[in-house]
Amino acid sequence: MNHDPFRPTPFSTLRLSANTVANAAPTLPNLPHGGGTQVRLWNRGTVAARIEFGSKATMALPDATSMALPAGAVEIRTLQQGERFVAVLGDGAAPDVEITVGGGF
C-alpha cells in the first residue's frame, strides 16, 4: 500500500461552482491516460454536493445514489479506467467543489 502524500498535477484543478448541465460534463484537466489516477475533492461550499465520474460528456447528472461530499469535506478518490468527465449537483443550492488531479495515497 502506498503511503505517499497526495501530489497534485500542475495546472490540474477544476472548480465547479454551479450545477453541471445535463449531457455536458466537463473534462478533468491534465488527466493522464490509464486507470489509477487520483483526484482530490474539496467541497468549498456550504451545501453537500453529489458527484459522479464518467467516460463521456453526455453522462447523466448525479442523483441521490451518487457519492455525497459534505460541505467542507476533503476526500481522495481513485478514478477507474476511462473516467475523464465529472458532474456535480448541489443538494438544494449551487455547489462549490474543487477537483484536483494527482496521485499519492
Side-chain angles (χ1 to χ4, degrees):
M1 184 191 313
N2 192 354
H3 294 296
D4 294 332
F6 180 79
R7 296 175 313 278
T9 301
F11 307 105
S12 67
T13 298
L14 174 66
R15 184 172 179 183
L16 299 173
S17 55
N19 292 329
T20 306
V21 176
N23 295 315
T27 306
L28 294 165
N30 292 324
L31 186 68
H33 292 283
T37 298
Q38 294 176 322
V39 291
R40 176 183 176 264
L41 305 166
W42 174 26
N43 186 346
R44 300 169 50 108
T46 59
V47 299
R50 300 284 174 171
I51 301 173
E52 285 290 345
F53 294 91
S55 61
K56 55 188 177 183
T58 56
M59 63 187 282
L61 288 176
D63 61 23
T65 64
S66 300
M67 176 186 164
L69 186 63
V74 175
E75 295 189 19
I76 305 291
R77 184 179 184 283
T78 301
L79 298 178
Q80 301 300 313
Q81 182 74 29
E83 289 183 328
R84 304 187 64 73
F85 299 89
V86 61
V88 299
L89 190 63
D91 281 354
D96 188 3
V97 177
E98 278 191 10
I99 303 155
T100 302
V101 174
F105 281 73

